């Protein structure tokens, strides 16, 4: 008896019967180009690697942290195509062609950006592990809401857990920047 | 920490046809991936059972261009591609203006990051968020195992209060009750072409292992919502344990049609309290033909929870849901509820 799967082998969809046919096969390893903070990185990745793993292990950009690795704690938050996402739950092969922004892209050289300065000025961190994610979430928020209310800020960083409970100072730092109360 | 996901093969599908081809070819070894927020967590935790093999091939459908879109045609309705993110839905002006209840429901899902990743199709087919299902040690009914562990275990939060069958999960989707209230259709593609499934017939009961009628080699391609009559008003409310983000303890989607101060029609769907989005026709009947009035609404809210049969630890869901129904009906009727 012929199974449905075998039958389909003889009637492959049009998209497979083109010159790319052999390129588009399920693969375990793939060479991809990632655009990170404006730079292109061509790397060979395992299909099972998450974006966070590739950033930290392959590219040695360890600013992005991993906490729960289950899209719950938010520590791996970065910006992809202008929106915050959990990099622990995105396969690196699926991040190809996206514009990825990480904490490493905020400062220029040793010059911190106003948001980073505001975090220091407001003592907005204790252990600091969630801070890269907080900064990325706040960056994404400030791009769409230049003058956020306290509630907007709390909503904006809601997906990131701070186990130290530094929230009041983090919220104050973000509000400070939006009000231009940081010396740059 | 490296490689929590077991070895997989990955392919980017470029058309619906191609996705179905790969699904059929690899059978139950393959899974479709869109937002991945549910699937990758299950794979990382190696959740498996007789009816739930760990996938070895992932077919990415985010690369199918026509699946990520929101098209509104006046007079006909709204067509949403299956991989449209929840953020795109909540922030679409057309959805907000014409189908506000769906925008509210999409906004209530999880957190910014998840809404930026998670898709409408994935929100409908997500697996149970039951803590026995989500650990590998329990071979529970929903994995093809012999029994439900939550009934005699801990079931205070994300579980059913309607005692309908073997498994006591509560369906976690927020968009499903809203879509059901709006009379949506789910467009499903498979080997033999497309079929349109009215959402009332999309979800299965707790006696089934899988939550939806979707067959293993079928995928959702589109969610269609018909144009609503001009006198339609709606409301979606959700109650949750944690303010920032959480699954529903209880949610209510209410869609009312009001003419000259009385209800022409009503549709009330409960979420988070049953293994599928639960329609309460008797509560709808309690409104139909009646004047818009707080007493009528209170009665309908009481009728809505009449069938409740809570478990040992979740009896609180009955008054919670009753009040939520009342608040949703008051809000959709344009009345102020007394706090």
């Amino acid at each position: 008896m012929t199974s449905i799967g075998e039958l389909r082998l003889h009637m492959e969809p049009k998209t497979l019967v083109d010159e790319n046919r052999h390129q588009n096969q399920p693969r375990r390893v793939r060479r991809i180009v990632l655009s990170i903070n404006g730079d292109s990185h061509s790397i060979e990745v395992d299909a099972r690697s998450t974006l966070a793993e590739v950033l930290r292990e392959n590219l040695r950009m360890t600013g992005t942290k991993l906490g729960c690795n289950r899209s719950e704690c938010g520590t791996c938050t970065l910006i992809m195509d202008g929106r915050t996402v959990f990099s622990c739950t995105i396969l690196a092969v699926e991040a190809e062609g996206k514009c990825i922004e990480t904490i490493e892209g905020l400062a220029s050289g040793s010059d911190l950006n106003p948001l980073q300065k505001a975090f220091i000025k407001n003592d907005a961190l204790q252990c600091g592990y969630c801070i890269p994610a907080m900064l990325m979430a706040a960056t994404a928020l400030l791009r769409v809401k230049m003058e956020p209310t306290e509630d907007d800020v709390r909503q904006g960083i809601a997906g990131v857990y701070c186990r130290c409970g530094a929230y009041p100072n983090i919220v104050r730092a973000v509000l400070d920047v939006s009000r231009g109360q940081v010396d740059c | 920490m490296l490689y929590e996901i077991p070895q997989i093969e990955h392919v980017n599908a470029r058309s619906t046809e191609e996705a179905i081809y790969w699904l059929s070819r690899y059978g139950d070894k393959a899974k479709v991936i869109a937002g991945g927020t549910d699937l990758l967590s299950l794979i990382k935790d190696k959740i498996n059972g007789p009816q739930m093999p760990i996938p070895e091939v992932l077919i990415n459908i985010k690369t199918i261009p026509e699946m990520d879109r929101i098209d509104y045609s006046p007079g006909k309705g709204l067509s949403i591609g299956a991989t449209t993110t929840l953020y795109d839905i909540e922030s679409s002006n057309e959805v907000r203006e014409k189908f506000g209840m769906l925008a509210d429901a999409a906004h209530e899902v999880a957190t910014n990051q998840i809404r930026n990743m998670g898709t409408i199709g994935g929100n409908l087919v997500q697996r149970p968020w039951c803590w026995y299902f989500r650990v590998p040690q329990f071979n529970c009914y929903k994995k093809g195992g012999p029994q439900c562990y939550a009934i005699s275990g801990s079931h205070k939060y994300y579980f059913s209060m309607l005692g309908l069958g073997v498994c006591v999960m509560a369906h976690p989707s927020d968009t499903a009750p809203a879509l059901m209230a709006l009379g949506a259709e789910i467009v499903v593609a498979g080997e033999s072409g497309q079929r349109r499934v009215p959402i009332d017939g999309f979800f299965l009961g707790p006696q089934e292992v899988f939550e939806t009628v979707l067959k293993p080699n079928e995928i959702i391609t589109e969610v269609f919502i018909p144009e609503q009559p001009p006198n339609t008003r709606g409301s979606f409310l959700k109650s949750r344990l944690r303010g920032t983000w959480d699954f529903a303890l209880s949610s209510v989607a209410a869609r009312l049609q009001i003419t000259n101060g009385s209800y022409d029609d009503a549709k009330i769907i409960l979420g988070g309290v049953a293994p599928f989005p639960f329609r309460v026709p008797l509560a709808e009947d309690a409104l139909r033909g009646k004047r818009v009035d707080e007493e009528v609404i209170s009665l309908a809210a009481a009728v809505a929870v009449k069938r409740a049969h809570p478990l040992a630890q979740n009896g609180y869901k009955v008054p919670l849901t009753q009040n939520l129904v009342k608040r949703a009906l008051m809000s959709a009727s344009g009345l102020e509820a007394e706090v």
Side-chain angles (χ1 to χ4, degrees), chain A:
Chain A
M1 204 181 91
T2 333
S3 77
I4 294 167
E6 279 168 304
L7 262 181
R8 290 291 291 197
L9 280 175
H10 305 291
M11 28 195 284
E12 296 191 354
K14 260 182 262 144
T15 43
L16 286 182
V17 196
D18 57 21
E19 68 275 22
N20 292 329
R21 178 178 164 159
H22 298 294
Q23 284 168 20
N24 208 42
Q25 295 282 329
R27 281 172 200 279
R28 287 201 166 169
V29 179
R30 185 172 284 146
R31 175 158 287 278
I32 56 166
V33 178
L34 289 179
S35 156
I36 303 161
N37 302 323
D39 297 330
S40 289
H41 300 263
S42 171
I43 35 170
E44 200 156 87
V45 297
D46 209 306
R48 60 179 161 164
S49 321
T50 62
L51 181 55
E53 284 170 345
V54 167
L55 286 172
R56 291 179 55 85
E57 305 292 335
N58 300 45
L59 298 169
R60 296 285 163 190
M61 297 171 79
T62 52
T64 302
K65 305 300 180 200
L66 268 173
C68 68
N69 208 359
R70 297 288 185 285
S71 56
E72 279 173 22
C73 74
T75 325
C76 62
T77 298
L78 48 72
I79 300 178
M80 197 164 93
D81 284 350
R83 295 185 191 168
T84 52
V85 292
F86 291 142
S87 59
C88 76
T89 308
I90 290 178
L91 294 177
V93 288
E94 295 183 2
E96 192 171 22
K98 311 273 186 193
C99 170
I100 299 160
E101 296 168 71
T102 69
I103 183 76
E104 284 89 352
L106 290 191
S108 45
S110 57
D111 223 4
L112 298 182
N113 86 355
L115 190 62
Q116 291 172 306
K117 286 181 185 165
F119 268 62
I120 294 172
K121 189 181 158 204
N122 283 282
D123 193 18
L125 54 151
Q126 290 176 49
C127 84
Y129 201 75
C130 70
I131 296 305
M134 288 288 182
L135 284 165
M136 297 319 282
T139 302
L141 170 76
L142 291 172
R143 282 191 196 153
V144 291
K145 278 211 171 92
M146 280 166 38
E147 289 170 17
T149 61
E150 183 179 332
D151 195 49
D152 292 335
V153 176
R154 287 187 182 277
Q155 285 290 330
I157 61 168
V160 187
Y161 245 148
C162 169
R163 295 304 305 265
C164 306
Y167 298 109
N169 293 6
I170 293 171
V171 172
R172 207 170 303 137
V174 181
L175 287 172
D176 259 17
V177 171
S178 65
R179 291 168 189 155
Q181 289 171 358
V182 184
D183 303 326
C184 301

Side-chain angles (χ1 to χ4, degrees), chain A residues 4-5 8-9 12-16 20 24-28 30 46-50 53 57 66-67 69-72 77 83-86 88-91 93-94 155-156 158-161, chain B residues 1-12 14-15 17-18 21-22 24-26 33 35-37 40-41 44-45 57-58 60 62 85 87-88 111-114 116-117 191 242 244-245:
Chain A
I4 294 167
R8 290 291 291 197
L9 280 175
E12 296 191 354
K14 260 182 262 144
T15 43
L16 286 182
N20 292 329
N24 208 42
Q25 295 282 329
R27 281 172 200 279
R28 287 201 166 169
R30 185 172 284 146
D46 209 306
R48 60 179 161 164
S49 321
T50 62
E53 284 170 345
E57 305 292 335
L66 268 173
N69 208 359
R70 297 288 185 285
S71 56
E72 279 173 22
T77 298
R83 295 185 191 168
T84 52
V85 292
F86 291 142
C88 76
T89 308
I90 290 178
L91 294 177
V93 288
E94 295 183 2
Q155 285 290 330
V160 187
Y161 245 148
Chain B
M1 186 63 95
L2 191 60
Y3 296 146
E4 276 203 58
I5 299 174
Q7 193 76 259
I8 52 157
E9 292 184 44
H10 182 274
V11 62
N12 291 321
R14 288 164 296 176
S15 68
E17 251 187 322
E18 191 187 330
Y21 167 76
W22 291 121
S24 310
R25 180 152 164 187
Y26 287 96
I33 180 167
T37 53
L40 290 181
S41 295
K44 281 179 183 174
D45 287 331
V57 180
L58 294 185
N60 180 17
K62 290 190 293 297
T85 62
Y87 174 81
D88 283 335
T111 175
N112 300 334
Q113 291 93 329
I114 301 261
N116 289 337
M117 300 157 72
E191 290 259 300
R242 200 177 148 220
T244 47
W245 61 292

